[in-house]
């Protein structure tokens, strides 16, 4: 037994797992990356988290906080001791409906939180697609947002306070401070005082560069949020920890702002013969003040039609559209909503946008629409064969008015590399998820992936957008941060990182000092599956090995309050009893 493992088992009440079996389970997430961890700790309490941090520091090994493992950029992948918060640290601690806030542990699942809050008429606004298994801690680490960010903002706009464990083992409470409180904090001993002093100094020294280099788009989650500290608002280190991807501290508790549920909603499904036309129409739709404008393209529409589960929900599609926009409105009455739909359709017809418009006001109809939208990514990743729609440039964001020209240029880059892509995402805020089809098992295709990423980076900078509007840096985009933000701000990021993490132990290789984006891939040119003869016929999937590889890591099998899969995970809350866990083990 390793001394590290022995010390953890002696001091941690929760589970300590260092076996090969477990390390394989936690070696990947929903991204294209795979790195075997040192071991896994599943803490039962804050005391367990503190003990893990202190023991890891003593043994000079890194740690990686993890929730549901749904990250698309590889944030939850690394050679570290993983802290899985999802199994035990998933309690809702306090609800204050009058003041509209809730306190939660990081392992709480978004849909489960909102179901618990339903009797209060309140909910947590950021509505991410994997809401039925996404952990609040992961949303904080990633600064997630989702389909309704045009009205509810990102996670950073909805987190008021945090409790975190710093790398010296101290638990600290982060919240908005008065100037007097800030001064007192800067005099604190240890890493807490060092962090407050450093952030204030770094922001003051780089104020002009922050104002110049950060893109002026709402959906930007790359780098550290230094831009929050040049705003006219109280100093609150919570703003820095949100979106820091577990590279600065371990979150153990969050106080979240809640918002009233909309009284009534309606959706208009607008059909287009051309993708760029849909982008142009979104500008006109924004003038009607919708709550959301969501896009899916023909590739996802066709994948949905071929799905046994979701094809029966496709009653809202007419003809063979190249793209659909799901436009949602909120209102106080059915009459108000119908008026909004009528006005929207009249304006779109006047402008010549769209060829069909399907209204949905009933709960079942709206449920079908949002189920298809949320399932889009998982269905897209179910493409058979070795060419998969990969996440590496899927998270760009530009000002919505620039979106039509940006998408046109983006498509030209993809076509120049002799491939195609799936398109979906948040047209309302200029954040589209564009996934080129790449065969990760061929060296030439991996070079193609890197070439596309380099060209898209230049395109994003030309359009003054963001490389990541939602899914974060992780292993996929951290490499580009110095080019994107410039050396001055990149060095500022490093200074902040050192202040919080002088030991270099917090999820290293993310945001700063990252490996190349084409390293540590789950598949690679040397990947070769063992051909296993089977009694059952897997020829439709391309063989047993490719049937296993159809698992994309999204973790839909970890949902607990809907559907029937995966029953064993619902009972045990253990990754090894999820369908994803079995697929990862079989592939290994």
């Amino acid at each position: 037994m390793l001394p590290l493992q022995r010390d953890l088992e002696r001091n941690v009440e929760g589970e300590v797992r260092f076996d090969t079996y477990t390390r394989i389970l936690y070696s990947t997430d929903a991204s294209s990356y795979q790195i075997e961890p040192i071991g896994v700790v599943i803490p039962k309490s804050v005391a367990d988290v503190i003990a893990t941090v202190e023991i890891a520091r003593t043994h000079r090994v890194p740690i990686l906080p993890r929730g549901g493992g749904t990250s698309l950029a590889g944030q939850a992948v690394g050679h570290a001791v993983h802290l899985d918060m999802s199994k035990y640290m998933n309690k809702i601690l306090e609800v204050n409906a009058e003041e509209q806030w809730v306190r939660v542990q990081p392992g709480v699942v978004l849909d489960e939180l909102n179901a618990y809050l339903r009797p209060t008429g309140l909910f947590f606004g950021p509505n991410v697609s994997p809401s039925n298994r996404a952990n609040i801690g992961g949303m904080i680490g990633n600064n997630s947002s989702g389909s309704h960010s045009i009205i509810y903002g990102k996670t950073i706009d909805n987190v008021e306070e945090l409790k975190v464990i710093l790398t010296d083992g101290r638990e600290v409470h982060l919240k908005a401070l008065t100037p007097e409180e800030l001064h007192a904090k800067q005099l604190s001993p240890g890493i807490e005082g060092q962090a407050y002093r450093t952030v204030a100094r770094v922001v003051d020294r780089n104020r002009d560069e922050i104002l110049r280099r950060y893109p002026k788009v709402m959906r930007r989650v790359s780098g550290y949020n230094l831009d929050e500290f040049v705003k006219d608002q109280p100093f609150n280190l919570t703003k820095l920890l949100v979106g820091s991807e577990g590279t600065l501290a371990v979150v153990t508790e969050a106080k979240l702002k809640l918002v009233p549920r909309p009284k009534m909603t309606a959706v208009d499904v607008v059909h287009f013969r051309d993708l760029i036309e849909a982008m142009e129409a979104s500008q006109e739709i924004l003038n009607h003040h919708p709550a959301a404008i969501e896009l899916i393209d023909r590739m996802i529409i066709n994948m949905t039609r071929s799905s046994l589960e979701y094809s029966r929900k496709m009653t809202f599609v007419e003809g063979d559209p190249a793209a659909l926009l799901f436009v949602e409105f909120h209102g106080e009455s059915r009459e108000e909503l119908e008026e909004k739909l009528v006005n929207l359709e009249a304006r779109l017809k006047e402008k010549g946008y769209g060829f069909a418009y399907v209204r949905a006001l009933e709960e079942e109809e709206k449920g079908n629409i949002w189920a298809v939208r949320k399932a889009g990514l998982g269905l897209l990743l179910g493409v058979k064969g070795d060419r998969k729609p990969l996440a590496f440039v899927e998270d760009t964001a530009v000002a919505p008015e620039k979106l039509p020209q940006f998408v046109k240029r983006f498509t030209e880059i993809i076509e120049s590399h002799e491939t195609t892509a799936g398109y979906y995402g948040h047209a309302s805020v200029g954040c589209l998820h564009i996934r080129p089809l790449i065969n990760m098992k061929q060296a030439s295709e991996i070079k193609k992936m890197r070439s596309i990423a380099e060209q898209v980076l230049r395109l994003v900078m030309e359009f003054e957008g963001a490389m990541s509007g939602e899914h974060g840096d992780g292993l996929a985009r951290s490499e580009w941060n110095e080019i994107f933000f410039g050396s001055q701000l990149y060095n500022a990021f490093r200074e902040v990182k050192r202040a919080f993490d002088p030991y270099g132990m917090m999820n290293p290789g993310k945001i700063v000092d990252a490996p190349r984006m084409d390293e540590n891939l789950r598949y690679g040119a040397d990947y070769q599956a063992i051909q296993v003869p089977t009694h059952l016929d897997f020829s439709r999937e391309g063989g047993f090995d490719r049937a296993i590889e159809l698992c994309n890591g999204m973790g839909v099998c970890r949902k607990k309050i809907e559907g029937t899969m995966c029953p064993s995970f619902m009972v045990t809350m253990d990754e090894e009893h999820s369908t994803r866990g079995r697929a990862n083990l079989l592939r290994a």
Side-chain angles (χ1 to χ4, degrees), residues 116 143 180 252 256 328 331 576:
Y116 183 90
N143 194 9
E180 294 74 23
T252 56
L256 310 175
E328 183 176 271
E576 74 171 286

Side-chain angles (χ1 to χ4, degrees), residues 103-385:
R103 289 193 305 114
V104 300
Q105 291 183 316
V108 172
V109 171
L110 176 58
D111 276 358
E112 295 173 27
L113 171 63
N114 284 334
Y116 183 90
L117 293 169
R118 183 170 287 278
T120 69
L122 303 170
F123 75 116
F124 185 61
N127 181 26
V128 295
S129 291
S131 59
N132 58 9
R133 70 267 190 202
N135 287 193
I136 294 295
M139 293 180 66
I140 291 169
N142 200 55
N143 194 9
S144 302
S145 41
S147 55
H148 294 83
S149 63
I150 192 172
I151 53 175
Y152 299 127
K154 300 177 291 190
T155 297
I156 195 171
D157 304 306
N158 296 275
V159 177
E160 296 181 349
E161 301 176 12
L162 290 175
K163 288 185 179 178
V164 303
I165 309 302
L166 299 176
T167 50
D168 59 4
R170 289 188 62 198
E171 182 181 35
V172 298
H173 186 181
L174 307 180
K175 61 180 181 178
L177 302 175
T178 65
E180 294 74 23
E181 289 171 331
L182 173 59
H183 179 69
K185 286 290 186 183
Q186 290 173 333
L187 299 176
S188 299
I191 288 175
E192 183 181 17
Q194 180 174 294
Y196 276 103
R197 293 190 299 271
T198 300
V199 173
R201 183 179 67 249
V202 163
V203 170
D204 185 60
R205 188 194 308 147
N206 295 280
R207 182 175 298 270
D208 291 343
E209 190 73 354
I210 292 168
L211 292 169
R212 187 173 73 87
R213 290 300 294 254
Y214 276 73
K216 306 301 186 290
V217 294
M218 190 263 277
R219 296 291 286 269
R220 187 279 315 158
V221 299
S222 298
Y224 291 124
N225 298 322
L226 299 182
D227 56 329
E228 289 291 328
F229 298 88
V230 298
K231 297 178 180 179
D232 185 17
Q233 61 185 8
F235 194 101
N236 187 350
L237 278 186
T238 290
K239 301 291 186 181
L240 187 69
L241 266 291
V242 174
S244 62
E245 302 187 0
T247 63
L248 302 180
V250 183
V251 174
T252 56
E253 184 183 311
K255 181 181 177 183
L256 310 175
K257 181 177 75 174
L258 303 177
V259 293
R261 288 184 176 274
K263 188 171 182 180
M264 298 189 72
T265 66
V267 180
D268 206 330
V269 183
V270 187
H271 298 53
F272 299 89
R273 294 187 175 88
D274 178 78
L275 179 65
I276 301 301
E277 180 195 353
M279 297 298 93
E280 293 170 344
S282 67
Q283 310 314 303
E284 183 60 43
I285 295 170
L286 282 170
N287 294 331
H288 293 255
H289 309 294
I293 311 174
E294 295 292 289
L295 167 82
I296 62 172
D297 76 340
R298 176 176 278 128
M299 186 182 293
I300 294 178
I301 294 168
N302 290 339
M303 291 296 295
T304 307
R305 282 173 164 157
S306 65
S307 163
L308 181 64
E309 179 181 358
Y310 290 101
S311 59
R312 67 191 73 172
K313 299 180 185 292
M314 295 284 282
T315 54
F316 54 85
V317 180
E318 296 183 5
D320 183 28
L324 298 173
L325 288 181
F326 302 152
V327 185
E328 183 176 271
F329 290 103
H330 294 175
E332 294 295 311
S333 67
R334 188 181 182 97
E335 291 72 26
E336 178 189 352
L337 290 172
E338 288 177 340
E339 182 180 359
K340 289 181 177 182
L341 297 176
V342 168
N343 291 339
L344 173 67
E345 292 174 11
R347 186 60 175 166
L348 291 179
K349 290 174 183 176
E350 180 184 326
K351 288 278 191 174
Y353 290 136
F355 69 86
Y357 317 86
V358 177
R359 302 175 191 175
L361 289 101
E362 304 303 327
E363 291 304 316
E364 183 178 354
E365 296 170 332
K366 292 182 293 184
N368 286 341
I369 289 169
W370 286 115
V372 168
R373 166 60 187 92
K374 288 192 170 190
L377 173 56
L379 292 167
L380 192 61
L381 291 173
V383 171
K384 293 183 175 63

Side-chain angles (χ1 to χ4, degrees), residues 274-549:
D274 178 78
L275 179 65
I276 301 301
E277 180 195 353
M279 297 298 93
E280 293 170 344
S282 67
Q283 310 314 303
E284 183 60 43
I285 295 170
L286 282 170
N287 294 331
H288 293 255
H289 309 294
I293 311 174
E294 295 292 289
L295 167 82
I296 62 172
D297 76 340
R298 176 176 278 128
M299 186 182 293
I300 294 178
I301 294 168
N302 290 339
M303 291 296 295
T304 307
R305 282 173 164 157
S306 65
S307 163
L308 181 64
E309 179 181 358
Y310 290 101
S311 59
R312 67 191 73 172
K313 299 180 185 292
M314 295 284 282
T315 54
F316 54 85
V317 180
E318 296 183 5
D320 183 28
L324 298 173
L325 288 181
F326 302 152
V327 185
E328 183 176 271
F329 290 103
H330 294 175
E332 294 295 311
S333 67
R334 188 181 182 97
E335 291 72 26
E336 178 189 352
L337 290 172
E338 288 177 340
E339 182 180 359
K340 289 181 177 182
L341 297 176
V342 168
N343 291 339
L344 173 67
E345 292 174 11
R347 186 60 175 166
L348 291 179
K349 290 174 183 176
E350 180 184 326
K351 288 278 191 174
Y353 290 136
F355 69 86
Y357 317 86
V358 177
R359 302 175 191 175
L361 289 101
E362 304 303 327
E363 291 304 316
E364 183 178 354
E365 296 170 332
K366 292 182 293 184
N368 286 341
I369 289 169
W370 286 115
V372 168
R373 166 60 187 92
K374 288 192 170 190
L377 173 56
L379 292 167
L380 192 61
L381 291 173
V383 171
K384 293 183 175 63
D386 290 332
R387 294 176 79 238
K388 301 289 186 183
L390 298 182
F392 63 101
V393 289
E394 90 298 348
D395 200 28
T396 58
V398 298
E401 64 271 14
K402 298 180 180 180
L403 199 55
Q405 187 61 25
F406 177 78
V407 171
K408 182 180 178 183
R409 293 273 300 279
F410 200 127
T411 302
E412 289 171 357
I413 291 173
I414 292 169
E415 291 176 348
S416 72
H417 287 81
E418 299 181 334
T419 187
T420 57
Y423 296 73
Y424 69 103
H426 318 293
S428 58
V429 286
C431 180
L432 283 196
H433 304 317
I434 304 175
R435 286 172 163 257
L437 271 68
I438 299 289
N439 182 357
M440 299 290 281
K441 299 175 183 177
Q442 293 183 5
S444 60
E445 291 277 292
I446 295 172
K447 289 181 180 177
K448 179 187 293 186
M449 176 182 75
R450 184 173 187 86
S451 175
I452 291 173
E454 290 170 343
Q455 291 186 35
V456 167
L457 172 64
R458 291 194 290 271
L459 180 68
V460 167
M461 294 179 72
E462 177 187 338
F463 276 74
E464 300 177 310
M467 274 300 278
S468 179
E470 178 171 47
H471 296 158
D473 290 332
L475 294 168
R477 281 175 285 272
S478 293
E479 180 187 356
W480 311 125
N481 275 339
E482 184 167 11
I483 298 172
F484 185 82
F485 287 100
S487 294
Q488 181 178 333
L489 287 182
Y490 190 73
N491 287 330
F493 292 167
R494 280 175 160 164
E495 196 172 344
V496 168
K497 167 73 170 171
R498 284 195 301 271
F500 277 88
D501 185 21
Y503 314 104
M505 61 182 285
M506 292 302 305
N507 200 7
K510 318 303 191 303
I511 300 182
V512 295
D513 301 318
R516 286 167 55 100
M517 56 85 70
D518 48 359
E519 295 178 5
N520 303 304
L521 298 171
R522 187 189 304 180
Y523 304 106
D526 58 348
Y527 177 86
Q528 184 63 52
I530 298 170
Q531 300 301 311
V532 180
T534 61
H535 177 72
L536 299 177
D537 181 10
F538 291 94
S539 57
R540 188 177 64 177
E541 291 82 8
F544 184 54
D545 56 324
R546 282 177 173 79
I548 294 167
E549 292 166 13

